[in-house]
Amino acid sequence: MTYTALIIGGGIAGSLCAVALRKVGITPVVYEAYDRTADHTGAFLTLAVNALDALRALDVDLGDVGFDTPRIVFTNGSGRRLGELPYGTALLDGMVSRTVKRADLYRAFRERAVRSGVHIEYGKRLLDAESAGDGVLARFADGTSVRGDLLIGADGLRSRTREIIDPHAPDARYGGLLNTGGYARGVSTGGETGTMNAIFGKRCFFTHTTHPSGEVWWAANPAQAAEPTPAELAAITPEQWRSRLIDMFRHDRGPAADIIAATGEIFAGWSTYDVPTVPKWHGDRMVIIGDAAHATAPSIGQGAAMAIEDTVVLAKCLRDSPDIATAFAAYERLRRERVERVVAQGNRTGGWKTLGPVARVPRDLIMSLAMKQMARTGNDPSRWIYEHHIDWDEPLQEVPRS
């Protein structure tokens, strides 16, 4: 059966979901709330090998976007090296994790969707949706409405689709950390190109990596117990961020202060969140994917990866199931346990960035011993995250009707 899918949200999850649905013969239309593209979004992220492996199922190659990031090195604010790990197990053909600008990733997915014949409408903020006969009716804030066979909420952390499916769904949970960063030129870090350097500073977590061009990409996570309002965050100017961060790192050994000083423009700050267990992922002919269903803290670099995996699994379920309701149930069955485990892991890892002076000592000792053990045995307890593989060609097994 040929379906028409209304995709709410034109970001990374929504654009790639459209690509995946086209691959299985479904006609998607993307509805983006903003009236423009996000081509100038400043932040960057690292796509671990499980994300790159999932993209292969959709024949999406990011070889010309970003740069390889095969390993991560951990140090503390005193300059002590705690250890290093591969940034996920390399794939059999040698492919390793890749660091990309969020805007470049979004652009790559959007352009791929457009080349596939996907129509994208901007300025379409979802107001409400409901079942309508054998389909779904979506209403937008501009007064327009549209019908489709199914609706997919790829509308992120503050998902309206999640609220429509379940008015009692949990809100996003503040993680106690702020986030900012930037791109620095003309500064030497002493590290290798493509190595992610994670520094557990005395007052703030800092990470940086060097692009092959010599540009240094960095991010900082100042801890703040009280959640700031959007207005409070917006009121912090880039120069105030610069002054604040340099002060935070002035007693640390390492390149953080020099990198920040060499940065032309510092990102506007944002708060970190995750979303606890969402009881209902789907209802009637509506379903949520990505951050709308399971936002994870950025501390383990799996937010975009989980959304990418979602798009592949959902498309496969729609391809192989006898009806939409059965496809949605199969998608949740295949994804829920994994993503909730990832969210829990991200929450634990993020908590290590907020520790005070006393708790940092055992943390550093535990990290150092654990990485020595992993280096000696090759047994990485996070292997389950990175070695996850979705077999696109294998039909779903035992798909029960819902």
Side-chain angles (χ1 to χ4, degrees), residues 97-294:
S97 298
R98 197 163 184 82
T99 299
V100 301
K101 290 184 178 180
R102 182 175 290 274
D104 290 342
L105 183 63
Y106 162 75
R107 187 184 302 112
F109 290 170
R110 186 196 70 213
E111 290 177 352
R112 175 60 183 274
V114 171
R115 287 197 306 271
S116 300
V118 174
H119 180 61
I120 303 174
E121 292 196 24
Y122 295 95
K124 296 291 184 181
R125 183 173 297 279
L126 182 67
L127 191 63
D128 207 351
E130 62 187 30
S131 297
D134 58 354
V136 62
L137 174 68
R139 297 186 179 89
F140 300 98
D142 64 358
T144 61
S145 61
V146 65
R147 291 176 182 269
D149 295 303
L150 64 149
L151 184 148
I152 300 170
D155 44 354
L157 191 70
R158 310 292 182 184
S159 171
R160 175 60 183 146
T161 311
R162 182 175 67 227
E163 293 177 338
I164 294 169
I165 292 173
D166 181 6
H168 303 292
D171 293 328
R173 178 175 59 185
Y174 175 59
L177 293 168
L178 306 182
N179 213 327
T180 187
Y183 306 104
R185 288 190 172 274
V187 61
S188 174
T189 67
E192 294 181 29
T193 297
T195 294
M196 188 64 69
N197 298 277
I199 304 170
F200 286 89
K202 296 173 183 177
R203 296 177 60 195
C204 183
F205 178 83
F206 187 83
T207 184
H208 67 90
T209 185
T210 302
H211 187 278
S213 69
E215 186 176 60
V216 179
W217 298 12
W218 64 272
N221 288 148
Q224 181 167 315
E227 179 183 359
T229 66
E232 288 170 338
L233 278 175
I236 305 173
T237 68
E239 288 310 309
Q240 287 172 330
W241 273 118
R242 189 189 312 276
S243 176
R244 176 179 177 180
L245 292 172
I246 289 176
D247 179 67
M248 282 185 157
F249 292 114
R250 64 191 174 92
H251 295 303
D252 283 0
R253 296 184 62 185
D258 290 341
I259 292 171
I260 295 164
T263 300
E265 182 178 355
I266 294 177
F267 305 155
W270 65 97
S271 300
T272 60
Y273 296 92
D274 66 6
V275 174
T277 299
V278 176
K280 292 184 68 175
W281 284 17
H282 56 90
D284 295 327
R285 291 186 170 230
M286 292 178 275
V287 68
I288 49 177
I289 65 171
D291 282 357
H294 47 69

